[in-house]
């Protein structure tokens, strides 16, 4: 492999404009997609143009290296995996090239939802809408013939493609369309010694003759026009010869993405090659440009959720409803409905607890009256037929319809919430049967599941007969893999019995290719010949659709077992120690393996926060998924140290600053932040910290001097020459507005000391413990005082443990776990006793609450770590709880304030409630608007470093832009680090909500002065 990698890099680096990666880390990131499979490629290429792809295909043909095209890697069957060179189109070849009245020309890497956003401006769209629209690329969708819930009405990608520019193996760029001329010369010519003979098809058991190598080489080196003519000639001959088999063995179906779609390709006067290429899974040609038909956005829609007491009743209803031509009809089984019930409070009114199945029924049309009538007729029809049902919601406005669609469209994500060793494995997840046969098939399938002693979940686009069935099984490992194969084999037998197909819209990939022969019989031979016409060397995406490997379904199953020793770094005496955090390799790999590669964290949709780095630069290594992948592979491959100390891991880690949005929004709640902490810690262990990192990691120690010589330090911080010097010597960004030092640390203040005078928590008043953390101790001491006054106002004694220090989250984020451990030990010494006595530990910084509750348990094996974690919470959650229990005082003075509120990522990570934002709304005269424009890009001290300053501002740009246009007197947020960024971008102050509450309670009139101050120059307000 190393030799091949070297050859690829040497031969191709100067030949193409795009990027070539042959390092172990990048290759590891492309070894998986959303399937259960894993194959490490030799290299990854990000082409910038079709010309790049042509050069690559020419080189690969000469050197006999496989090429595997890839979009977003959300395929569920492993179609984008392979041992050769992965061509990732999502990175650069993602442009919309031309938008016409009824068509659009795109590069293959364009994301479906992004395209629709542009088309919608002129009232058009590209169907089908589908579950992964915000992530999947047009190239990937066309290659598997993707479809969505509305496929019954609008078809699949195959129905929308007009023209495809392909690069064939050998490097010829050829445009194929819906009307390529038939070429009959071939039939008239002497059948030269070529591998495809136009003879009638014989028995399917007949072995296919391998391609003559010399001929294959010859074919791949001819001019594009000659090659095109050759393809058309051979194909015409083949399709003519095989017409009977195609008619008999590939019947008309609403959905079929298995094998090559040969039906309908041969027209009387032409060949529809665009139709054939749709669903070809990158095995015939590499798409470099795609011309698609667009369609008008449906003007009027009505969507209803209809609940049924039995699945049979729901399926019976579907048979009647299809006559009324619904645009979509999706079914969720009881398990999915229950998961949805748990997932969102607002869905409780949509789902009946006793329902066994729910249908989401949509009608579209030209007028609201028409769709309403068809909708009402459909329900009357069910009533007349005596079917028992309940309509729980009917949505008729575009927004309501979109909101209601969210429920069925989240079904795949909901499955990730299932707990237990058995998981919904995507292996037979794409069966499609004639809609009239669904009940019969489901009965047969149930019996098969019983025989195999498994249960399964069902989500179905019933109008097209598309059944997304997922058996609940332990993740297949070498010893259990045959169980999966046996189940698939038995189910697919029933699929054939009812005239269905093993794949309706996800393609065959590695999961199903081994079963295509049994699905199509002797037609499989024709598929082989099609493959050899386009790709005589069989180097394009090998083992997809055409393969001789009977065990392919389980040959490349993802490794989820650790091969390293069961030790953790906590046993520091152990020479074999592997991990820095307090988990065993098995626990760590289990955490990483929770990522099923679904790709949701590749979303750049503005409605999700997900990963700020991916929003900024949509590369695979910037995605949270890559972080889980690298850790799983490092632990399963056995060369943990080597992989994790690689320089490329540093780059990977540089695209994570521990904001934790991925964990909150990931359907499987993969603990990416902890995996990243571990990865960074490993890297730091091998390579050490940089100077700036060391400074930022221990900044609290230097802040002591800043406070001791306040006047001087505050003056220096405003001085341009000093700030330049600081940037040059320490790497602190010159232009970052910094907070002034307070003078006296809060922990040394009389208030803090008075409350703790007896050195013990508890007493005659209910007691809470205040964990102050860095910012409120050194800079914004007013915040600490405000919080203490608020708590006292509510009758609490506020115990401020005198020996507490910073939380250490910056250290953990930077990989300096050794220092973080010392800090955590010091804090636990202070917090352990009050926690054991049951006193709440309250934090004014949400990051501190996260660190105490979620990070310390992974950092230290300490007797009190769990108790402290249980007792720690943020101020907002605590006060909101008081309010909910009717114990919060509401004797606020009226203020006159217009505020804009930003929700910090770490507040989101603590839970859905935004306690302090909710409480601000109780203050009379306060008009507070929450804006949702993503992460500020500060992430603790990360945005303070000069090397991150520009990137930090770019990440926060959307938010800053919104803040600049807001007509408000001040900003507010409960994170001091976010405050830094907010004040960087605007000329009004940002004040912690607790201080505004203290002002409203009349506890801290001096806050009014800050509300009138301004951030200027190098200084914050
Ligand atoms: C949670 C979830 C929900 C999903 N919902 C749906 C759904 O509603 N409907 C649906 O149809 N699918 C769905 N899928 C499956 C998946 O999103 C689709 O198969 C999608 O079309 C894959 O697009 P991609 O860009 O990720 O392609 P990839 O996974 O990267 O590739 C898919 C195939 O396309 C080939 N390919 C990619 N680019 C090219 C190119 N330029 N030229 C030639 N071949 C190429 C690859 O080789 C591979 O065989 C879902 C998946 C998940 C995880
Ligand atoms: S990290 Fe979560 S969202 Fe991202 S691919 Fe993995 S499971 Fe999906
Ligand atoms: S913690 Fe934040 S920066 Fe890191 S991967 Fe997750 S979303 Fe991205």
């Amino acid at each position: 492999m190393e030799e091949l990698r070297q050859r690829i890099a040497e031969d191709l680096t100067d030949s193409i404009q795009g990027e070539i990666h042959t390092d172990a880390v990048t290759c590891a990131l492309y070894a998986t997609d959303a399937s259960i499979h894993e194959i490490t490629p030799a290299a990854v290429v990000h082409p910038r143009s079709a010309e790049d792809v042509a050069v690559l295909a020419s080189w690969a043909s000469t050197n006999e290296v496989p090429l595997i095209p890839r979009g977003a890697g959300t395929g569920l069957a492993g179609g984008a995996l392979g041992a050769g060179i992965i061509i990732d189109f999502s990175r650069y070849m993602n442009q919309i090239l031309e938008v016409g009245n009824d068509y659009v020309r795109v590069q293959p890497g364009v994301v479906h939802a992004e395209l629709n956003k542009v088309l919608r401006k002129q009232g058009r769209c590209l169907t089908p809408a589908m579950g992964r629209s915000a992530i999947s690329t047009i190239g990937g969708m066309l290659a598997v013939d993707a479809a969505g819930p509305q496929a019954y009405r609008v078809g699949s990608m195959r129905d929308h493609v007009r023209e495809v520019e392909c690069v064939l193996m050998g490097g010829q760029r050829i445009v194929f369309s819906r009307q390529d001329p038939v070429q009959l010369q071939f039939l008239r010519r002497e059948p030269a010694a070529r591998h495809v003979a136009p003879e009638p098809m014989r028995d399917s058991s007949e072995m296919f003759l391998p391609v003559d190598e010399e001929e294959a080489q010859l074919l791949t080196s001819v001019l594009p026009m000659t090659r095109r003519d050759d393809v058309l000639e051979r194909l015409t001959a083949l399709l003519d010869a095989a017409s009977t088999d195609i008619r008999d063995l590939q019947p008309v179906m609403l959905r079929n993405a298995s094998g090559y779609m040969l039906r309908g390709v041969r027209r009387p006067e032409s060949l529809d090659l665009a139709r054939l290429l749709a669903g070809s899974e990158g095995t015939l040609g590499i798409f470099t440009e795609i011309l698609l038909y667009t369609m008008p956005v449906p003007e009027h829609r009505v969507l209803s959720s209809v609940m049924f007491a039995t699945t049979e009743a729901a399926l019976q209803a579907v048979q009647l409803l299809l006559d009324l031509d619904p645009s979509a009809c999706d079914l969720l089984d009881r398990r999915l409905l229950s998961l949805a019930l748990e997932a969102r409070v607002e869905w409780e009114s949509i789902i009946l607890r006793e329902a066994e199945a729910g249908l989401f029924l949509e009608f579209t049309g030209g007028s609201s009256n028409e769709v309403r009538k068809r909708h009402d007729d459909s329900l009357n029809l069910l009533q007349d037929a005596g079917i028992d049902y309940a309509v729980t919601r009917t949505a008729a406005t575009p927004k309501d319809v979109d909101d209601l669609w969210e429920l069925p469209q989240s079904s795949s994500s909901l499955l990730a919430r299932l707990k237990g060793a058995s998981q919904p494995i995507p292996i037979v997840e794409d069966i499609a049967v004639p809609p009239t046969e669904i009940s019969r098939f489901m009965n047969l399938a149930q019996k098969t599941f019983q025989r195999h002693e498994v249960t399964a979940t069902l989500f179905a686009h019933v109008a097209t007969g598309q059944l997304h069935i997922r058996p609940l099984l332990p993740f297949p490992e070498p010893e259990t893999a045959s169980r999966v194969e046996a189940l698939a084999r038995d189910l697919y037998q029933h699929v054939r019995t009812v005239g269905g197909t093993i794949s309706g819209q996800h393609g065959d990939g590695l999961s199903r290719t081994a079963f295509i022969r049994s699905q199509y019989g002797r037609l499989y031979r024709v598929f082989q010949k099609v493959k050899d016409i386009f790709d005589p060397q069989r180097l394009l995406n090998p083992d997809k659709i055409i393969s001789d490997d009977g065990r392919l379904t389980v040959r490349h199953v993802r490794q989820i077992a650790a091969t390293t020793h069961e030790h953790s770094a906590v046993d520091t005496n152990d020479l074999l120690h592997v991990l820095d955090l307090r988990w065993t390799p098995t626990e760590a790999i289990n955490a990483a393996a929770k990522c099923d590669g679904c790709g949701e964290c590749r979303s750049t949709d503005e409605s999700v926060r997900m990963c700020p780095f991916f929003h900024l630069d949509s590369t695979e290594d910037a995605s949270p998924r890559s972080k889980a992948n690298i850790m799983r592979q490092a632990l399963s491959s056995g060369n943990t140290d080597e992989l994790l100390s690689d320089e490329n891991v540093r780059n990977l880690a540089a695209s994570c600053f521990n904001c934790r949005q991925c964990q909150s929004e990931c359907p499987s709640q993969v603990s990416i932040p902890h995996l990243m902490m571990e990865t960074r810690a490993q890297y730091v262990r091998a390579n050490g910290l940089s100077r700036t990192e060391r400074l930022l990691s221990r900044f609290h120690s230097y802040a002591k001097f800043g406070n001791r010589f306040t006047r001087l330090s505050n003056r220096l911080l405003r001085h341009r020459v000093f700030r330049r010097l600081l940037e040059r010597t320490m790497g602190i960004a010159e232009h970052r507005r910094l907070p002034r030092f307070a003078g006296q640390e809060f922990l040394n203040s009389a208030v803090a000391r008075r409350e703790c005078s007896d050195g013990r928590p508890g007493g005659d008043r209910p007691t809470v413990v205040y964990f102050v953390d860095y910012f409120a101790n050194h800079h914004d001491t007013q915040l600490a005082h405000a919080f203490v006054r608020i708590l006292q106002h509510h009758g609490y004694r506020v115990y401020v443990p005198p020996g507490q220090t910073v939380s250490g989250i910056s250290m953990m984020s930077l990989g300096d776990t050794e220092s973080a451990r010392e800090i955590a030990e010091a804090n636990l010494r202070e917090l352990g006793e009050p926690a054991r006595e049951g006193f709440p530990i309250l934090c004014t910084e949400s990051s501190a609450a996260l660190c105490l509750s979620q990070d310390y348990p992974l950092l230290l094996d300490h007797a009190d770590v769990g108790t402290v974690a249980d007792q720690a919470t943020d101020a907002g959650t605590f006060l909101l709880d008081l309010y909910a229990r009717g114990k919060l005082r509401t004797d606020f003075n009226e203020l006159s304030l217009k505020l804009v509120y930003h929700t910090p990522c770490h507040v989101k990570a603590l839970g859905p409630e935004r306690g302090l934002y909710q409480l601000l709304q109780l203050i009379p005269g306060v008009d507070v608007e929450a804006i949702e424009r993503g992460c500020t890009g500060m992430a603790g001290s990360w945005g303070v470093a000069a090397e991150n300053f520009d990137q930090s501002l770019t990440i926060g740009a959307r938010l800053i832009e919104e803040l600049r246009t807001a007509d408000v007197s001040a900003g507010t947020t409960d994170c001091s680090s976010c405050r830094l960024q907010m004040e960087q971008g605007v000329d009004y102050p940002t004040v912690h909500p607790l201080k505004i509450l203290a002002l409203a309670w009349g506890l801290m009139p001096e806050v009014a002065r800050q509300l009138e101050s301004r951030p200027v120059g190098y200084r914050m307000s």
Side-chain angles (χ1 to χ4, degrees), residues 594-601 610 625 666-668 670 672:
K594 269 177 84 181
C595 169
D596 60 10
C598 75
E600 190 133 334
C601 52
M610 230 356 145
R625 171 169 80 172
C666 160
S668 307
V670 180
I672 302 285

Side-chain angles (χ1 to χ4, degrees), residues 34 68-76 79-80 89 108 130-132 136-137 139-141 143-144 146-148 281-282 285-287 412 461 505-506 541 598:
I68 304 102
R70 176 168 168 132
T74 66
L76 286 154
F89 284 95
M130 48 169 268
R132 291 286 92 162
S136 300
T137 63
M141 289 172 66
V144 298
E281 300 188 38
I286 307 166
F287 312 155
S412 312
H461 307 303
Q505 62 185 35
H506 297 161
N541 211 0
C598 75

